[in-house]
Amino acid sequence: MKQFLRNLQSLHIKLVIIYVLLIVIGMQIIGLYFTNTLERELTENFQDNIETQVDLIDTRIQELHTEYQDDLGTLSEEVQSLLSEFGNRPEIDEIRFINSDNILVATTRISNEPNIGSRINEPLTREAISTGSRNDEIFVNVNQDNQRTWLLNHPVVNNGQVLGAVYVSSNIETVYQQLEAINNTFIIATIISLIITSILGIFIARTITKPITDMRNQALMMSEGDYTSRVKIYSNDEIGELAGSFNILSKRVQEAQANTESERKRLDSVITNMSEGIIATDRKGRITVINEMALDMLNIPKDEDLHGKNMLKILRLDEEMTLEDIQEMNESQLLFTDSDYEAAIRANFSTIYKDTGFMNGYIAVLHDVTEQERIDNERREFVANVSHELRTPLTSMRSYIEALQEGAWQDDQLAPRFLSVTRDETDRMIRLVEDLLQLSRMDNEAEEINKEIVDFNMFLNRIIDRFEMTHKGEVEFIRNIPDTAMFSEIAMDKMSQVLDNVISNAIKYSNRENKRVEFHVKQNVLFNRMTIRIKDNGMGIPANKVDRIFERFYRVDKARARKKGGTGLGLAISKEIVEAHNGRIWANSLEGEGTTIFINLPCETLGEDGWDE
Ligand code: ADP
């Protein structure tokens, strides 16, 4: 039923119905006018015909009346024969003549002849006689198969005197039968033309609706995202032009769609590959876009779907602020630190407005400021460390100087000792400041490094020789150094500073009687690298602190290291120098057993005939 109703609403059916209705209405109007005119013409013809006869009868009766005025019997007979003359026409039922006294004078109907001479009580005849004017009527004769009969009462007037009336009853049914036959022909013609126009209408409507249906289907396909198909152009009329324009439109939409798609892809790839995290939300703060970087920064697994989730909740800001705050703080920044994995993220929020001025959503750009924060922290720590390192010797110097001021200078035994402590502290401060200056120069890359190619084994042996001289009998130096030359491009002064530091640490941080420092040099010919291993049997470093000894001012045991005169910068400087040589330095240690320092540097091997790669 629904389908049927829908079909009725279709343009095709509508057009056919309109056609049919137009034809029906047209035929109706034509038919109505035509049958009316025809009916009038036919009945008028019929009546005129009879009236002409009646006029003749009228004239003849007047003549007869004048002629047989006195002889009523003959007059009656003459009138009777006159009427019979006219009465034998097939359409005429009866012709009567009634005189002015309403007496039937003559009749053509045999069955009515006995009534001749008697009074007739026909109201219309009587009216015609009394008024002297004709009247007529059509009535349906119930006795004769409902046939229509036309009654005419025609008064016969002679010199202003009504002589009587001619009464004619005629069968007008033939006229109506003719009319009916014509009507039937007309109805059949209408029906045939209706059938033909309906069939034609269906086809003609099809030619109109087919391209429209095609366009509708095409539009439906477009709404589902398929822009590839085109509408067939059937004709050059307006509908054909419309189909052409429709095709152009769908081509344009397809192009625009392709453009938008490629723009979207480009934007997608820009957002995906951005080094900043991006989160875009709708008006209610629900996430619509989030790139991998943002997930990474927030430590959220990549496969987790955050679409539709609350941005502030994801950023863990939902307790601190609301979306309205974002609108107000537009462009301002907010810093938060994730303590779980030590990351510092800075978020910049902005609000997106539509052209209409309505707010459309929010965008958060996340910057990883962990490194910046770390550097800031390090700087703060460094300043604190430097101040602390300077304060300690200064405080101790001050107390000694005060003691001297207060009279100790006169004490022969105390004064030299106090002065020597003060001098030691001053030396330490000078060393500290020098180390700091060197570090600062290296940080600014202002330190000049003059590299030259040296036989590293010989260079190392010389340094060990020097230590052997100064620590004779106190430390045992074991050398596992190849006899062959091993060439490396180094800045000798700087590298000896590194080795001095490492070796003196090996000696310094040992409480043993039989201190031992082992040297081991190994070359990796394949990679043109060498590794120097300096191993002691000292106190070692706790496993969790080994990696930190290269940090500035880091000391495993602060009091002890300071007592040993260390600034806590030696290994930090060594690390900088080794790295400036494209090398690497690291440590390995077992608490209580000893420490091994590894230095890996690039090297070349020089064969007998020259450079050997
Ligand atoms: P310092 O001037 O204090 O010696 P370094 O930078 O040379 O400073 O060393 C940093 C810290 O590393 C030292 O304070 C010490 O605690 C530890 N350290 C260095 N070398 C050794 C070693 N061979 N044995 C044990 N601890 C060491």
Side-chain angles (χ1 to χ4, degrees):
M1 185 68 188
K2 256 189 186 167
Q3 182 65 33
F4 176 72
L5 281 179
R6 197 170 319 141
N7 279 347
L8 268 189
Q9 285 173 354
S10 90
L11 191 60
H12 194 176
I13 300 292
K14 273 186 195 159
L15 280 174
V16 175
I17 291 174
I18 288 169
Y19 265 122
V20 171
L21 281 180
L22 282 178
I23 296 286
V24 169
I25 292 168
M27 289 303 235
Q28 281 291 318
I29 293 169
I30 294 170
L32 205 67
Y33 177 75
F34 179 72
T35 45
N36 269 348
T37 316
L38 199 66
E39 185 183 348
R40 204 172 56 239
E41 284 292 319
L42 284 177
T43 43
E44 271 175 11
N45 256 348
F46 180 88
Q47 290 169 349
D48 283 353
N49 214 341
I50 288 177
E51 285 203 41
T52 318
Q53 315 272 326
V54 171
D55 283 345
L56 283 175
I57 295 172
D58 181 335
T59 324
R60 288 282 291 130
I61 288 178
Q62 282 184 48
E63 283 168 10
L64 289 173
H65 193 268
T66 344
E67 204 172 325
Y68 304 103
Q69 204 169 15
D70 307 318
D71 186 358
L72 281 179
T74 321
L75 177 67
S76 173
E77 272 167 32
E78 285 298 319
V79 172
Q80 177 68 39
S81 66
L82 171 71
L83 296 191
S84 307
E85 221 175 281
F86 288 94
N88 51 15
R89 294 177 62 128
E91 70 269 23
I92 291 181
D93 279 346
E94 184 185 4
I95 308 177
R96 294 179 197 163
F97 179 69
I98 298 104
N99 69 12
S100 52
D101 299 325
N102 287 321
I103 308 278
L104 179 65
V105 177
T107 174
T108 55
R109 186 180 284 173
I110 296 163
S111 59
N112 211 8
E113 269 173 10
N115 295 327
I116 292 176
S118 49
R119 190 178 286 270
I120 290 289
N121 201 14
E122 282 282 348
L124 286 175
T125 314
R126 222 172 328 138
E127 189 192 312
I129 292 167
S130 60
T131 58
S133 56
R134 70 179 284 290
N135 62 50
D136 67 329
E137 76 167 349
I138 291 175
F139 83 100
V140 179
N141 197 337
V142 193
N143 302 329
Q144 280 183 26
D145 295 344
N146 288 337
Q147 294 209 338
R148 266 161 283 208
T149 305
W150 182 53
L151 295 182
L152 170 70
N153 290 293
H154 179 96
V156 180
V157 184
N158 191 9
N159 297 329
Q161 187 196 351
V162 179
L163 302 178
V166 179
Y167 161 100
V168 183
S169 150
S170 58
N171 185 358
I172 202 169
E173 190 63 36
T174 48
V175 172
Y176 286 95
Q177 274 165 2
Q178 266 177 8
L179 255 175
E180 204 176 296
I182 291 168
N183 267 348
N184 283 343
T185 318
F186 196 80
I187 288 167
I188 289 168
T190 308
I191 290 170
I192 291 171
S193 69
L194 264 183
I195 292 170
I196 292 171
T197 46
S198 300
I199 294 168
L200 277 179
I202 288 171
F203 283 107
I204 294 169
R206 244 181 92 81
T207 60
I208 298 172
T209 55
K210 178 84 172 83
I212 294 176
T213 319
D214 281 4
M215 276 186 266
R216 185 199 57 185
N217 292 341
Q218 166 79 7
L220 281 175
M221 277 162 84
M222 276 166 74
S223 72
E224 279 161 18
D226 180 0
Y227 304 97
T228 48
S229 55
R230 296 280 177 267
V231 181
K232 192 174 164 194
I233 298 171
Y234 293 93
S235 54
N236 276 335
D237 56 4
E238 286 87 341
I239 292 182
E241 280 172 24
L242 179 65
S245 314
F246 194 81
N247 281 344
I248 294 172
L249 175 76
S250 62
K251 198 173 150 210
R252 294 261 191 288
V253 174
Q254 186 180 11
E255 283 166 4
Q257 183 71 17
N259 272 348
T260 322
E261 188 61 19
S262 76
E263 274 304 311
R264 199 183 61 77
K265 278 195 183 135
R266 203 158 53 202
L267 190 68
D268 261 6
S269 83
V270 168
I271 289 177
T272 313
N273 296 314
M274 263 174 93
S275 57
E276 272 89 22
I278 298 282
I279 303 178
T281 75
D282 61 11
R283 185 160 70 71
K284 293 195 169 153
R286 290 176 300 212
I287 296 177
T288 51
V289 174
I290 180 161
N291 69 352
E292 276 188 19
M293 206 51 170
L295 291 172
D296 210 35
M297 285 180 185
L298 298 169
N299 205 18
I300 296 170
K302 286 197 173 41
D303 48 5
E304 199 168 317
D305 187 16
L306 294 182
H307 287 93
K309 301 240 170 89
N310 185 318
M311 171 177 74
L312 288 181
K313 213 168 201 157
I314 296 295
L315 295 178
R316 275 162 266 176
L317 288 172
D318 49 333
E319 281 169 18
E320 287 165 46
M321 58 191 285
T322 62
L323 291 170
E324 284 73 42
D325 295 339
I326 293 182
Q327 284 180 54
E328 278 158 28
M329 67 188 238
N330 224 355
E331 292 296 320
S332 71
Q333 302 180 337
L334 180 101
L335 180 86
F336 65 93
T337 314
D338 193 319
S339 54
D340 297 349
Y341 65 111
E342 291 178 344
I345 309 291
R346 192 176 276 273
N348 276 43
F349 292 103
S350 52
T351 316
I352 313 167
Y353 292 98
K354 279 187 196 168
D355 292 346
T356 48
F358 281 109
M359 198 260 292
N360 202 15
Y362 301 96
I363 291 219
V365 181
L366 309 183
H367 309 271
D368 188 343
V369 286
T370 317
E371 187 62 19
Q372 205 177 320
E373 286 291 300
R374 193 183 60 77
I375 292 170
D376 283 355
N377 267 344
E378 268 179 14
R379 203 176 45 226
R380 278 194 289 274
E381 224 170 83
F382 185 75
V383 173
N385 278 333
V386 171
S387 329
H388 183 75
E389 290 300 327
L390 286 173
R391 225 187 95 192
T392 319
L394 282 172
T395 326
S396 107
M397 274 166 67
R398 189 197 159 112
S399 51
Y400 281 106
I401 291 169
E402 269 175 7
L404 286 168
Q405 251 183 346
E406 279 162 16
W409 65 277
Q410 285 166 324
D411 190 318
D412 286 346
Q413 285 194 334
L414 278 181
R417 235 181 70 212
F418 282 13
L419 282 172
S420 110
V421 174
T422 320
R423 195 199 149 104
D424 284 351
E425 293 293 346
T426 316
D427 284 348
R428 213 157 75 86
M429 279 203 299
I430 290 170
R431 267 203 317 276
L432 178 72
V433 171
E434 270 173 359
D435 281 356
L436 277 173
L437 278 174
Q438 190 179 358
L439 265 178
S440 141
R441 277 200 303 271
M442 295 190 86
D443 283 346
N444 298 329
E445 289 174 5
E447 183 89 337
E448 251 184 69
I449 296 186
N450 297 317
K451 289 190 201 166
E452 52 190 312
I453 293 184
V454 262
D455 173 0
F456 193 84
N457 288 341
M458 204 164 80
F459 168 71
L460 181 62
N461 273 319
R462 273 207 208 118
I463 291 174
I464 304 170
D465 288 347
R466 184 153 46 81
F467 270 92
E468 246 175 0
M469 291 253 291
T470 47
H471 295 82
K472 218 169 194 154
E474 188 193 332
V475 187
E476 182 191 357
F477 292 94
I478 300 167
R479 309 183 199 208
N480 265 324
I481 303 168
D483 293 335
T484 50
M486 209 179 280
F487 291 96
S488 180
E489 196 177 15
I490 53 168
M492 284 211 283
D493 53 341
K494 297 281 178 287
M495 201 47 81
S496 48
Q497 194 183 342
V498 173
L499 291 167
D500 280 355
N501 193 275
V502 173
I503 299 168
S504 53
N505 277 349
I507 301 167
K508 229 170 22 179
Y509 299 107
S510 174
N511 298 325
R512 286 178 189 264
E513 291 285 295
N514 51 340
K515 293 184 187 174
R516 194 176 66 231
V517 184
E518 282 175 45
F519 295 88
H520 190 274
V521 179
K522 202 178 165 206
Q523 188 183 19
N524 185 337
V525 189
L526 201 64
F527 293 103
N528 277 349
R529 308 281 302 184
M530 62 180 173
T531 309
I532 304 108
R533 210 166 71 195
I534 301 160
K535 183 178 174 195
D536 64 54
N537 59 350
M539 58 184 65
I541 307 160
N544 59 343
K545 293 178 176 164
V546 178
D547 290 336
R548 301 199 59 190
I549 60 172
F550 298 97
E551 286 176 18
R552 294 173 187 190
F553 293 114
Y554 188 79
R555 299 185 184 99
V556 177
D557 181 341
K558 285 201 172 16
R560 178 196 293 271
R562 204 170 281 130
K563 214 164 68 198
K564 303 253 180 198
T567 58
L569 291 173
L571 284 180
I573 293 173
S574 301
K575 188 173 177 228
E576 295 284 339
I577 294 173
V578 171
E579 281 173 2
H581 279 83
N582 219 355
R584 218 158 67 76
I585 183 167
W586 71 100
N588 217 334
S589 186
L590 210 65
E591 209 176 354
E593 297 280 315
T595 307
T596 311
I597 302 286
F598 297 86
I599 301 171
N600 181 278
L601 287 171
C603 74
E604 334 260 346
T605 339
L606 196 62
E608 277 169 22
D609 327 325
W611 291 106
D612 188 13
E613 286 292 314

